[in-house]
C-alpha cells in the first residue's frame, strides 16, 4: 500500500475517533448573547420611517440577517417605554419583538417564551418610529434559547433540526440550560443564542463556549 494511501486512511481514522470523543465528552458551541430587537414588515417600516423607506444595513449577521442602523421605541400596556431597540433586517411577513423577561416587567407585558416566528397569541406592544406609530396586537415574545448549526455541525454533534438538548456552561456559576432547540440550516454559523437575562445570570458573554450534554 502506498505511503500516501496509508496517511489518508490514518487521517480518516483519527478524525473519526475525534468525532466520537467529542460526542462522548459533549460538543462545544460558542455563545452569542442576543439583546432585545425587532423584526418588521415592509408596511410597518414605511409607517415608522416614512413612505418608500427601506432599512439600511449596519452589520451582517448569520442566515442572511443583518442589524440595521434604524432603532425604535417600544411601549407596553403600562405606557412604559424602552428606547433604541435595534431593528433587524431583512423585512419579514410578520413583525416580531424579542425581549428579555426583565424587559417584560418594565413594559408590563406578559410575553411568552416562543421560538422565533411563533407569535400567535403572544403579547401586544406599541412601536414608535420617527414618522409614525404601529400597534401590534400580538408579536412580543421572549425568544426560546436555541443553537444555530450547519448540517456538518449537526452531524458532528449527533443532533438533528428540531431536537431539544441540554447545554452546560463550565464556569464559576456552573449553569445548565435545558430546553435548548437545535436549528439547522446551510446558512447558519455554529452559535448558541441566549438573551441578556440568561447571560447575566450565568456570567456568560459572547464568545464563551458551552457544551451540549444530551
Amino acid at each position: 500500500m502506498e505511503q500516501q494511501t496509508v496517511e489518508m486512511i490514518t487521517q480518516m481514522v483519527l478524525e473519526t475517533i475525534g468525532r466520537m470523543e467529542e460526542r462522548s465528552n459533549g460538543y462545544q458551541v460558542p455563545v452569542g448573547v442576543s439583546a432585545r430587537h425587532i423584526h418588521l414588515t415592509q408596511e410597518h417600516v414605511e409607517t415608522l420611517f416614512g413612505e418608500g423607506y427601506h432599512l439600511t444595513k449596519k452589520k451582517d449577521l448569520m442566515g442572511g440577517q443583518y442589524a440595521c442602523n434604524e432603532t425604535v421605541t417600544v411601549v407596553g400596556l403600562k405606557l412604559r417605554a424602552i428606547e433604541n431597540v435595534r431593528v433587524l433586517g431583512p423585512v419579514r411577513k410578520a413583525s416580531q419583538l424579542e425581549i428579555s423577561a426583565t424587559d417584560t416587567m418594565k413594559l408590563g407585558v406578559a410575553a411568552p417564551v416562543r421560538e422565533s416566528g411563533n407569535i400567535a397569541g403572544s403579547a401586544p406592544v406599541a412601536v414608535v418610529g420617527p414618522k409614525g406609530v404601529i400597534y401590534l396586537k400580538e408579536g412580543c415574545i421572549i425568544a426560546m434559547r436555541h443553537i444555530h448549526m450547519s448540517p456538518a455541525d449537526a452531524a458532528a454533534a449527533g443532533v438533528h433540526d428540531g431536537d431539544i438538548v441540554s447545554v452546560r456552561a463550565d464556569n464559576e456559576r456552573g449553569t445548565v440550560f435545558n430546553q435548548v432547540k437545535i436549528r439547522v440550516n446551510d446558512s447558519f454559523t455554529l452559535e448558541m443564542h441566549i438573551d441578556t437575562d440568561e447571560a447575566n445570570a450565568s456570567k456568560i458573554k459572547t464568545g464563551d463556549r458551552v457544551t451540549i450534554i444530551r
Side-chain angles (χ1 to χ4, degrees):
M1 186 178 294
E2 295 183 2
Q3 181 65 26
Q4 185 177 8
T5 302
V6 172
E7 291 176 353
M8 289 177 61
I9 293 174
T10 301
Q11 182 63 31
M12 291 172 64
V13 171
L14 289 174
E15 289 177 355
T16 300
I17 292 173
R19 285 194 294 269
M20 292 173 64
E21 290 179 345
E22 193 165 46
R23 288 185 187 181
S24 63
N25 296 329
Y27 192 80
Q28 289 203 328
V29 179
V31 174
V33 179
S34 182
R36 65 180 76 99
H37 58 273
I38 191 168
H39 303 274
L40 296 169
T41 65
Q42 180 58 32
E43 178 184 357
H44 287 163
V45 167
E46 296 191 37
T47 300
L48 295 169
F49 296 98
E51 185 177 353
Y53 192 90
H54 292 279
L55 297 173
T56 59
K57 185 183 297 185
K58 177 181 177 70
K59 178 183 177 181
D60 283 315
L61 304 173
M62 73 173 67
Q65 295 191 86
Y66 52 88
C68 301
N69 292 300
E70 293 76 18
T71 62
V72 296
T73 296
V74 295
V75 183
L77 298 179
K78 296 182 179 180
L79 298 182
R80 297 174 181 172
I82 297 177
E83 299 179 337
N84 298 316
V85 176
R86 182 71 56 187
V87 179
L88 298 192
V91 294
R92 290 193 174 187
K93 294 180 179 179
S95 293
Q96 172 183 295
L97 173 67
E98 297 180 33
I99 59 177
S100 69
T102 298
D103 291 335
T104 67
M105 291 185 284
K106 181 173 182 178
L107 293 173
V109 297
V113 176
R114 295 280 185 82
E115 184 178 3
S116 180
N118 180 10
I119 61 172
S122 57
V125 70
V127 184
V128 182
K131 299 292 185 180
V133 179
I134 59 173
Y135 177 71
L136 303 178
K137 293 182 179 179
E138 58 184 19
C140 180
I141 65 170
I142 300 170
M144 180 182 185
R145 58 181 77 111
H146 56 278
I147 299 175
H148 290 284
M149 286 183 159
S150 69
D153 292 324
V159 296
H160 303 88
D161 185 50
D163 283 355
I164 302 296
V165 300
S166 294
V167 172
R168 182 184 67 237
D170 291 313
N171 60 13
E172 58 191 296
R173 299 304 294 267
T175 306
V176 173
F177 296 97
N178 297 316
Q179 298 298 312
V180 182
K181 188 162 189 175
I182 300 295
R183 298 173 60 184
V184 181
N185 189 284
D186 288 326
S187 65
F188 287 164
T189 301
L190 182 64
E191 194 170 64
M192 175 178 173
H193 284 178
I194 57 177
D195 66 30
T196 51
D197 280 1
E198 295 168 316
N200 290 337
S202 57
K203 290 200 72 173
I204 294 174
K205 62 183 182 300
T206 293
D208 287 351
R209 302 184 77 83
V210 294
T211 304
I212 297 175
I213 58 172
R214 59 165 295 174

